[in-house]
Every structure is written in structure tokens, then in C-alpha cells.
Amino acid sequence: PPQTEGLGFLSWCLEGGGKLVAALPSDSDRARVHLVLTTAPAFDTRRVRVGLRSRTARRRLRGERRFGRGILSLRARRQRLLFGLAKGRVTFLAVARPRLSRRAARGYVKRAP
């Protein structure tokens, strides 16, 4: 079970450090996850993980776009990958639904516990 449940968010603390957060739409009856965010260094995608230098991450991503302040986006087949950057390091990884609007995705990332 989730460690904390908030309005539209479920979060778990992971062994080895970091969090896993699932963002749900708060206005819908259907419990379909819109975004999953992690700060745990155990997870990676395309050889990019939390704590990696942002310069190295950009080199490995190829084709990323700026999604917001400190957020990079990469579209994959059926998902959108988001990477948070701060102080020259990757701070989080997230997977969002491909049709989730930019505004909604940034809002979920900003409000995530």
C-alpha cells in the first residue's frame, strides 16, 4: 500500500533512498495514472538516472526538448519521458501519458510530494 495518499497523488518511499509518486486525476472516478515520477537512483531509462550530470544526460538522450524550467522532455512511442535538472544534475525521472498536456504534466511535477 502507498505510504502517503494525497489529493491526486500516491507515494511510496523506496529502500535505498528516493520516492515513487503516482499522479491521478482528482476530478475523475477512473483511477488511471497520468504520471509516475521517481527520485530513486535505482531506476534509469536510456542510461540516464538520478544524480547523473546534466551534460551527460543530454548527450545520452539525443532529441530532447525543453519542457519547462529545469525539465526536459523526450517523446517515446507510447509515453512521454520527463527529466528534471537542477544544479547540473538529474533530479527526477518521470513517465507521462503521451496525450497529457504540457500544462497538466508541469502541474503534476510541481505539486508532487
Side-chain angles (χ1 to χ4, degrees), residues 46-49 52 55-62:
R46 300 186 183 217
R47 296 179 17 214
V48 175
R49 67 180 56 229
L52 188 70
R55 185 175 184 177
T56 306
R58 285 177 185 255
R59 209 176 301 136
R60 289 182 181 174
L61 291 176
R62 290 190 208 142

Side-chain angles (χ1 to χ4, degrees), residues 70-98:
I71 303 173
L72 297 178
S73 172
L74 186 66
R75 292 218 45 164
R77 289 182 190 155
R78 296 184 180 173
Q79 62 204 4
R80 180 187 303 255
L81 303 173
L82 303 174
F83 304 89
L85 304 176
K87 297 182 182 178
R89 299 279 176 181
V90 176
T91 56
F92 70 83
L93 303 176
V95 179
R97 299 183 72 188

Side-chain angles (χ1 to χ4, degrees), residues 3 9 11 14 25-26 30-31 46 49 55 65-66 77 81 92 95 97 108-109:
Q3 187 172 13
F9 290 99
S11 69
L14 304 174
S26 57
R30 294 171 37 197
R46 300 186 183 217
R49 67 180 56 229
R55 185 175 184 177
R65 293 178 181 241
R66 190 164 180 246
R77 289 182 190 155
L81 303 173
F92 70 83
V95 179
R97 299 183 72 188
Y108 282 135
V109 168

